């Protein structure tokens, strides 16, 4: 009676995945359950970049119900090249948020190409044709936490085995000239600078470099000067929650853009609640998986002490936004346009800030670092992809 249950899976295992644990997660926790559920699997352990793609070119993909990339570096290329063969199939990713986001982006990008859309500008993208499963094997695993409430490979596997499908909202991140990627959440400012610094120290162990980057960025805390334009979400009065003061504030403001300018320590745009062990209520607790909205969270310039108080509250039950320097909005579109620094300022900045002075600013999109042009336009697209959960 479970019509969405997969019958067979093509499995790719990347032995270099986070702490080299993805292989262990699959063989010790996931594979035995697939076997018990009578799901056939074909496993490839990748040995070099592009190995999974070369194997897939030789596969009769029609024989499989899905593909299981584990942190595969050629995932997006695989999706773009092989998806035409995956008729009514399933795709599952074992890995961290970056791997999952890459697979989701590949699925959605291929869907646009098949629909004949201009991939440089996609105001109304078509839905991904196949569902995506997420088995956590990364560091934070925000998407898995949000789907299942926990980082637990067995829970995730059982949802896939039973074929439980959950529609989820997706964002498009674009510059004025091109689509950057599909994704679920993004940070500009502190969250992006921390990731950029961590990426510069990839020779360090994962947890060490993330702790180092967090502390160093906090020590060098500085705001970004930018302009934020946003289109508030129009919610009918009867659907509004009494305690959603921001939504109530903007009721009746359909198609009316709002602008705020200033110096901001961090800007978050999230289409999903973004739960994780460090934020059990979520980084954006006032949004949902598929209510067609994004949470825009703006942290204005303040002292390091006050900013740390705001960060600490994510781990507790108190309202992390109840500070005079934090503003939250429920939106459907956002434009972020940083102000270019002057030549004098640029000479005084660090190497990371020098990149900003040249017009490239770091963005943290689903745990992936992106350095793009000055203006980024974010739109939310309701229930654009189905995820197992």
């Amino acid at each position: 009676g479970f019509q969405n249950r997969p019958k067979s899976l093509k499995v790719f295992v990347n032995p270099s995945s986070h702490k080299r644990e993805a292989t262990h997660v699959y063989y010790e926790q996931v594979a035995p359950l697939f076997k018990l559920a009578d799901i056939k699997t074909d496993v490839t352990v990748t040995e070099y970049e592009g190995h999974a793609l070369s194997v897939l070119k030789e596969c009769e993909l029609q024989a499989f119900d899905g593909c299981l990339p584990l942190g595969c570096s050629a995932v997006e290329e695989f999706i773009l090249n092989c998806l035409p063969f995956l008729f009514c199939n399933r795709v599952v990713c074992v890995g961290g948020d970056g791997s999952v986001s890459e697979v989701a982006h590949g699925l959605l990008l291929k869907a646009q190409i098949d629909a004949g859309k201009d991939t440089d500008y996609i105001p109304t993208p078509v839905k991904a044709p196949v569902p995506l499963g997420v088995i956590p094997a990364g560091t934070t695993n925000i998407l898995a936490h949000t789907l299942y409430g926990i980082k637990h490979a067995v829970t995730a596997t059982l949802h896939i085995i039973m074929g439980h499908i959950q529609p989820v909202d997706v964002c498009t991140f674009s510059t004025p000239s091109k689509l950057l990627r599909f994704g679920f959440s993004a940070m500009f400012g502190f969250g992006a600078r921390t990731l950029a610094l961590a990426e510069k120290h990839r020779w360090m162990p994962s947890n060490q470099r993330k702790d180092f980057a967090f502390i160093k960025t906090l020590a060098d805390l500085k705001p970004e000067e930018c302009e934020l334009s946003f289109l508030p979400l129009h919610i009918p009065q009867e659907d509004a929650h009494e305690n959603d003061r921001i939504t109530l504030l903007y009721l009746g403001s359909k198609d009316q853009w709002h602008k705020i300018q200033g110096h901001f320590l961090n800007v978050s745009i999230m289409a999903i609640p973004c739960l994780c062990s460090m934020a059990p209520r979520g980084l954006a607790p006032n949004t949902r998986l598929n209510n067609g909205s994004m949470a825009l969270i703006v942290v204005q310039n303040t002292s390091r002490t006050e900013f740390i108080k705001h960060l600490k509250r994510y781990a507790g039950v108190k309202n992390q936004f109840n500070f005079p320097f934090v503003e939250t909005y429920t939106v459907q579109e956002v434009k972020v346009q940083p102000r270019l620094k002057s030549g004098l300022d640029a000479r005084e900045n660090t190497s990371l800030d020098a990149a900003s002075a040249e017009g490239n600013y770091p963005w943290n999109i689903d745990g992936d670092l992106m350095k793009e042009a000055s203006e980024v336009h974010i739109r939310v697209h309701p229930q654009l992809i189905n995820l197992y959960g």
Side-chain angles (χ1 to χ4, degrees), residues 311-352:
L311 295 180
K312 281 185 174 181
R313 282 204 184 173
Y314 277 103
V317 295
K318 288 186 177 180
N319 185 354
Q320 63 265 43
F321 309 129
N322 190 22
F323 292 96
F325 55 87
V326 181
E327 299 175 9
T328 64
Y329 305 91
T330 302
V331 302
Q332 53 186 316
E333 289 189 48
V334 180
K335 294 179 181 178
V336 181
Q337 188 168 15
R339 300 276 183 164
L340 296 178
K341 296 178 174 63
S342 68
L344 178 62
D345 291 337
R347 287 194 296 272
E348 296 173 352
N349 288 331
T350 64
S351 58
L352 183 58

Side-chain angles (χ1 to χ4, degrees), residues 2 4 16 47 61 94 102 125 138 164 174 197 221 227-228 256 279 308 317 346 360:
F2 295 88
N4 289 320
S16 300
E47 299 174 358
L61 293 181
V94 178
E102 185 180 355
H164 297 157
S174 308
L197 189 58
L221 188 65
E227 176 182 283
L228 304 176
Q256 181 180 348
I308 291 174
V317 295
N360 292 319

Side-chain angles (χ1 to χ4, degrees), residues 30-307:
V30 179
L33 293 175
F34 284 156
K35 185 177 180 180
L36 282 171
D38 197 26
I39 296 175
K40 297 180 177 64
T41 57
D42 182 79
V43 182
T44 297
V45 178
T46 58
E47 299 174 358
Y48 54 87
E49 184 176 355
H51 185 186
L53 180 60
S54 64
V55 172
L56 281 166
K57 288 180 178 178
E58 305 299 324
C59 282
E60 293 291 334
L61 293 181
Q62 297 95 324
F64 297 103
D65 261 341
C67 296
L68 184 61
L70 290 105
C72 177
S73 59
V75 166
E76 184 175 331
E77 188 177 359
F78 147 62
I79 293 291
L80 292 178
N81 286 280
C82 299
L83 196 60
F85 300 100
L86 297 174
F87 298 111
C88 300
N89 293 328
R90 283 84 172 138
V91 177
V92 180
C93 179
V94 178
D97 292 316
S99 299
V100 176
S101 178
E102 185 180 355
V103 177
H105 173 69
L107 283 170
L108 286 162
L109 189 60
K110 180 58 181 175
Q112 312 317 306
I113 294 172
D114 288 346
K117 290 185 173 287
D118 179 4
T119 55
D120 285 337
Y121 180 71
I122 313 176
T124 55
V126 298
K127 189 171 182 176
V130 297
L132 170 62
V134 180
I135 295 179
T139 304
T140 53
N141 301 285
I142 282 176
L143 196 56
H145 270 280
T146 305
L147 286 167
Y148 315 122
I150 191 173
K151 175 192 173 182
H152 195 234
V154 171
T155 298
T157 305
L158 291 175
H159 279 290
I160 294 166
I161 288 172
M162 301 307 287
H164 297 157
I165 298 295
Q166 173 72 56
V168 177
D169 300 341
V170 181
C171 302
T172 48
F173 299 88
S174 308
T175 66
S177 60
K178 67 174 181 175
L179 171 73
L180 300 177
R181 70 180 299 160
F182 292 92
F184 302 97
S185 65
M187 286 187 282
F188 175 79
F190 178 80
R193 285 176 171 274
T194 301
L195 179 62
L197 189 58
E199 289 297 310
K200 285 187 173 183
H201 294 79
R202 290 199 67 87
W203 52 270
M204 298 174 66
S206 176
N207 288 339
Q208 289 184 21
R209 71 169 178 265
K210 289 184 178 181
D211 290 344
F212 164 78
F214 180 86
I215 294 171
K216 182 73 165 65
T217 307
L218 200 56
D220 297 334
L221 188 65
K222 56 174 66 72
E224 295 282 6
E225 182 181 1
C226 63
E227 176 182 283
L228 304 176
S229 305
F230 59 92
L231 186 61
L233 181 69
H234 179 72
I235 301 177
Q237 183 73 43
E238 60 271 16
D239 294 338
H241 297 289
E242 291 182 1
N243 61 352
D244 192 343
R245 62 181 181 85
I246 297 299
T247 297
L248 291 172
L249 179 63
Y250 286 102
L251 282 173
S253 60
K254 187 177 182 181
D255 299 328
Q256 181 180 348
W257 283 84
H258 298 259
K259 289 186 179 181
I260 52 177
Q261 297 181 1
H263 292 78
F264 307 118
L265 291 176
N266 193 67
V267 177
S268 300
I269 302 110
M270 299 177 174
I272 61 175
C274 294
L275 277 67
C276 63
S277 59
M278 296 171 288
R281 294 178 62 247
L283 298 174
N286 295 327
T287 191
R288 297 293 179 266
L289 278 170
N290 54 15
N291 66 352
S293 75
M294 294 185 294
L296 170 61
I297 303 165
V298 181
V299 182
Q300 297 180 353
N301 193 20
T302 187
S303 68
R304 183 181 294 105
T305 301
E306 290 297 299
F307 184 64

